[in-house]
Amino acid sequence: MSHRILLVDDEPDILEFVSYNLQREGYTVRTAPNGAEALAVAAEFHPHLILLDRMMPVMDGVETCRALRNDPKLAHTHVVFLSALGEEAEQLSGFDAGADDYLSKPIAMKLLVSRVQAILKRINPTEEAQQQPTDVQLDPNRHTVICRGEEIQLPRKEFALLELLIEHEGELITREEIYTKIWGREVIVGDRTIDVHIRKLRQKIGEEHIQTIKGVGYMFVR
């Protein structure tokens, strides 16, 4: 499984450009337009690294970094500021908030990727194992899943949905793809059918494994 990176910035062009280049390097990337949404995404995404802007609406970068450090589940996540505020005083305030590093915009993409690679190398196997949610294993013959050492029986559609998500681990599966592959083109199902099945799966294997891409679809992460 690739390292997970959360990119937080209120400029859509930056989110699109940086996330595209990081994904090309094999990283799993999620984005958020402000600090408040970043906290919500981080709670379910469990990123190894958060690239955080300073100046954002709703909750700025310093507030967000402090909130991350106060959350026991996210306190050890690597946080790096990526900001146009590059003065010494601004950098010091970022480190005081708990940042691991501080990068100034504009920055060449090759240099940013190089710094990200160097930062992620600091994550040792023990630390990464602590960040990674518990593994999930499927038994296709019995339609069961092993989660946290416990065997769980799944109805046929729930198993098929989970199997589809795991086969494309770290990739977005759209709602349309799910409808087609799980229920088929000829079957008419209600708009909430997928949501109900996703909710039941989360109750059984844990909220953290199935991420919602709002208005688009779902993604399985470990």
Side-chain angles (χ1 to χ4, degrees):
M1 178 65 179
S2 65
H3 284 105
R4 300 181 295 278
I5 300 175
L6 173 58
L7 177 62
V8 189
D9 202 297
D10 62 334
E11 296 187 40
D13 290 346
I14 290 178
L15 291 179
E16 182 179 359
F17 180 67
V18 176
S19 62
Y20 170 75
N21 280 277
L22 291 175
Q23 287 170 341
R24 285 184 61 190
E25 297 297 321
Y27 299 115
T28 300
V29 183
R30 293 280 297 276
T31 63
N34 58 64
E37 289 195 31
L39 294 176
V41 173
E44 64 166 353
F45 183 51
H46 298 274
H48 297 94
L49 169 66
I50 298 176
L51 293 175
L52 187 61
D53 190 22
R54 282 290 300 268
M55 298 182 293
M56 297 182 293
V58 185
M59 179 183 287
D60 67 24
V62 168
E63 290 179 281
T64 304
C65 188
R66 289 192 179 123
L68 289 166
R69 293 301 179 231
N70 288 329
D71 185 334
K73 294 181 180 180
L74 298 169
H76 300 293
T77 301
H78 285 62
V79 178
V80 175
F81 278 109
L82 180 60
S83 172
L85 300 177
E87 294 80 4
E88 182 179 354
E90 300 291 352
Q91 294 191 32
L92 289 174
S93 68
F95 286 117
D96 287 342
D100 296 285
D101 206 344
Y102 200 110
L103 304 177
S104 297
K105 298 176 185 175
I107 183 171
M109 187 51 57
K110 287 185 178 180
L111 178 58
L112 175 60
V113 169
S114 178
R115 295 293 291 272
V116 165
Q117 291 172 341
I119 291 164
L120 291 175
K121 285 180 181 178
R122 302 174 194 169
I123 300 177
N124 60 48
T126 301
E127 180 181 356
E128 184 168 0
Q130 291 173 344
Q131 289 185 7
Q132 295 260 11
T134 308
D135 194 18
V136 176
Q137 297 179 339
L138 298 182
D139 183 342
N141 295 323
R142 301 174 60 197
H143 278 210
T144 59
V145 57
I146 305 296
C147 185
R148 303 180 187 91
E150 179 184 354
E151 184 176 278
I152 303 169
Q153 296 283 341
L154 294 179
R156 187 166 58 89
K157 291 297 185 185
E158 285 181 31
F159 185 88
L161 175 55
L162 181 59
E163 186 174 38
L164 173 64
L165 292 170
I166 290 179
E167 284 177 355
H168 298 274
E169 181 178 336
E171 301 176 14
L172 167 64
I173 304 296
T174 66
R175 294 175 65 88
E176 290 74 16
E177 288 179 274
I178 293 173
Y179 276 128
T180 299
K181 293 181 179 179
I182 303 303
W183 281 272
R185 296 181 181 276
E186 306 303 321
V187 178
I188 300 176
V189 295
D191 290 338
R192 303 296 294 175
T193 300
I194 291 179
D195 302 315
V196 171
H197 281 71
I198 291 291
R199 186 180 73 247
K200 290 180 178 179
L201 280 175
R202 283 172 169 161
Q203 290 172 348
K204 295 171 182 177
I205 70 170
E207 296 280 340
E208 69 273 14
H209 288 298
I210 302 176
Q211 315 300 333
T212 299
I213 313 300
K214 192 173 181 180
V216 182
Y218 300 93
M219 178 171 62
F220 182 87
V221 297
R222 294 192 186 275

